[in-house]
Amino acid sequence: MRDGYGRAIDYMRISITDRCNLRCRYCMPEDIPLVPMKDILTYEEIELICRAAAQAGIRKLKVTGGEPLARLGCAELVGRLKRIPGIEQVTLTTNGVLLAENLSKLAESGLDAVNISLDTWKEDVYQAITGRDELGRVLEGIDRALEAGIPVKLNCVPQRGVNDGEWREFAELTRKKPVDVRFIEMMPIGYGKDYEPVRNEDILNQLKETYPGLEQDSSFHGNGPAVYWRLPDGLGSIGFISAMHGKFCESCNRIRLTSQGQLKLCLCYEDGVDLRAILRGTNSSEERLREAIVQAVGRKPQAHRFEEKNKVTEMKKMVQIGG
Ligand code: SAM
Ligand code: SF4
């Protein structure tokens, strides 16, 4: 499926809940009012939307949240999505806290890969960022996923004065384990607006000083906009997702489904289409959903305008969108 600018859109991120077991300071630092479950898409409804999306040309799905593993039955949903004709890949983004205990079910369901969000290796910093003492369970989740043969990417959001002394530890992980580590520049969505993002270029330059052998890695690494580098003896790569200082909208391939059924066209803007209303309305059908998806994709904005904060019309928090 092509958008109005000719970009091929084949990737959909699906938020299955806006609840979370952590309180990350830049995402959901405090409790937000709980959305009643009746307003959240059921797994049946998510599957129906994904079937229509696959008909429209979506090939890859990412299950996210809130914390997706905090919703019961997440692994079963992965299995259902994997069986949809046309869907080639289903992956998961998680904070990793509940990963180890869900791994065998996720592996059985055929999960293709997992992205684990981890911003620090220090227990006190982890507690300061997430409000919880769960670092040990996240580290266990990483190891269990690797043991199960599920490819792992680690996502780190750099934060000035918080984790900015730890880039080397992230790089070292790629030497010890076959894990891709990615640095994701903070975006001005929700609480992220209060941060001055660390430039990924500065992190790369620091790493180049520490590791003169660091070289660009042009091999294929998945669905996204990351630019990858590699240590000469690296088992994994080091990626940079630079939404703020290296805009990649020209190659955007994605749309997002919120847990309440809004299909979002760009992180920056609130515009979208209410697929739940179509699903729960009269005369609902896969064809009507497909048409609504194709029509909405046709008006996907050309680019974000994160550089001008007053142009960001999205008022939802990141926990309500899914990253
Ligand atoms: N709970 C899961 C997790 O943490 O991976 C999935 C949802 S979380 C919203 C998805 C990703 O968004 C996480 O990697 C998180 O660090 C990132 N994130 C949250 N707020 C952000 C912001 N303002 N800018 C950039 N990334 C952000
Ligand atoms: Fe929860 Fe993920 Fe947001 Fe942290 S980043 S509060 S783990 S949704």
Side-chain angles (χ1 to χ4, degrees), residues 7 18 44-46 64 73 114 121 127 162 174 179 190 207 213 227 234 242 252 256 268 277 290 306:
R7 293 171 295 195
D18 43 18
E44 287 68 29
E45 288 173 326
I46 291 174
T64 177
V114 62
W121 302 97
Q127 167 91 44
V162 179
T174 69
V179 169
L207 288 176
V227 177
S242 313
C252 187
R256 294 174 167 84
C268 184
R290 191 194 65 80
F306 287 152

Side-chain angles (χ1 to χ4, degrees), residues 1-5 9 265 292-301:
M1 159 176 47
R2 299 260 163 196
D3 72 3
Y5 298 94
I9 307 299
L265 307 171
I293 294 168
V294 171
Q295 246 178 40
V297 163
R299 57 168 212 274
K300 183 173 159 69

Side-chain angles (χ1 to χ4, degrees), residues 26 64-67 93-95 117 157 185-187 189 192 318 322-323:
Y26 54 84
T64 177
E67 173 47 40
T93 290
T94 170
N95 60 33
S117 303
V157 178
E185 284 183 348
M186 182 81 75
M187 291 176 272
I189 295 289
M318 201 62 119

